Amino acid sequence: LTVDDRAINLTSPMPGRVVACLVEPGSMVAKGQGVIVVEAMKMQNEIQAPRAGCVSEVRTTPGQTVDAGQILAVLE
């Protein structure tokens, strides 16, 4: 999770595979709402919105392999 002015980058906490994108660009999300689900070591980790806002970008797709720290979505 990194903050750039008002935008928040939602990042993968570990290497894994994206199993679901729960939102699309333009979606409004509430604090704590699931945005992306990443599977690592046979466990699914839901990346949640740290605050309410609008999803401006989704930078991944289901089935994609991601690295730790990779930006998955941007919340404004």
Side-chain angles (χ1 to χ4, degrees):
L1 176 72
T2 57
V3 178
D4 178 17
D5 291 332
R6 62 178 192 189
I8 296 176
N9 294 325
L10 302 177
T11 58
S12 179
M14 62 196 71
R17 184 177 59 87
V18 174
V19 293
C21 294
L22 306 175
V23 297
E24 55 188 41
S27 298
M28 296 300 294
V29 294
K31 181 178 180 179
Q33 182 175 338
V35 178
I36 306 278
V37 180
V38 176
E39 182 179 75
M41 299 185 310
K42 299 189 182 181
M43 292 186 63
Q44 292 190 357
N45 301 288
E46 186 176 80
I47 311 304
Q48 299 177 339
R51 64 167 169 79
C54 179
V55 177
S56 60
E57 294 179 56
V58 176
R59 297 186 181 180
T60 189
T61 57
Q64 181 178 345
T65 300
V66 294
D67 294 321
Q70 182 173 335
I71 297 172
L72 305 176
V74 179
L75 179 67
E76 292 191 11

